[in-house]
């Protein structure tokens, strides 16, 4: 992939939600909410302070994360739907 996020931005691939409930009910696409879980694809170099010091990000490529429902900007890169968001939009790292 020929894309690298800048500064404190992160490129994320959504993890698809289950199409069935625990009870076995199949959820149609029209009723599904967008998943709020994803995998970090790429990270920027870090945020710069006013003094010029770079603070590295806490997440790295391959991390599974949770993010807010309205976080980031959806983009299509190499035919794949991805999200670019700031590290501050990430709620936490999963397991």
């Amino acid at each position: 992939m020929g894309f690298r996020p800048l500064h404190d931005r992160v490129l994320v691939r959504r993890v698809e939600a289950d199409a069935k409930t625990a009870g076995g009910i199949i959820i149609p696409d029209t009723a599904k909410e967008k998943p709020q879980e994803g995998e970090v694809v790429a990270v920027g170099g870090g945020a710069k302070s006013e003094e010029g010091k770079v603070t590295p990000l806490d997440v790295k490529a391959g991390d599974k994360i949770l993010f807010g429902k309205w976080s980031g900007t959806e983009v299509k890169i190499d035919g794949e739907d991805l999200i670019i968001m700031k590290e501050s939009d990430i709620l936490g790292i999963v397991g």
Side-chain angles (χ1 to χ4, degrees):
M1 177 179 298
F3 181 82
R4 182 176 55 92
L6 297 176
H7 308 296
D8 63 340
R9 288 185 173 74
V10 178
L11 187 64
V12 176
R13 175 184 301 119
R14 268 190 214 276
V15 174
E16 289 305 317
D18 290 336
K20 276 188 189 178
T21 66
I25 298 171
I26 297 174
I27 304 168
D29 288 340
T30 55
K32 286 183 189 173
E33 287 192 20
K34 290 184 178 179
Q36 293 173 257
E37 188 173 339
E39 177 183 357
V40 176
V41 176
V43 298
K48 262 190 190 172
S49 68
E50 290 180 15
E51 297 83 37
K53 181 181 172 196
V54 176
T55 305
L57 302 183
D58 290 330
V59 295
K60 62 187 179 308
D63 283 349
K64 301 273 190 238
I65 60 165
L66 291 177
F67 51 88
K69 189 178 283 192
W70 309 111
S71 298
T73 302
E74 294 183 357
V75 295
K76 188 170 272 215
I77 300 174
D78 295 338
E80 185 177 11
D81 291 325
L82 301 168
I83 306 167
I84 299 172
M85 65 180 69
K86 287 188 167 260
E87 186 186 36
S88 59
D89 291 338
I90 296 172
L91 304 175
I93 299 172
V94 179

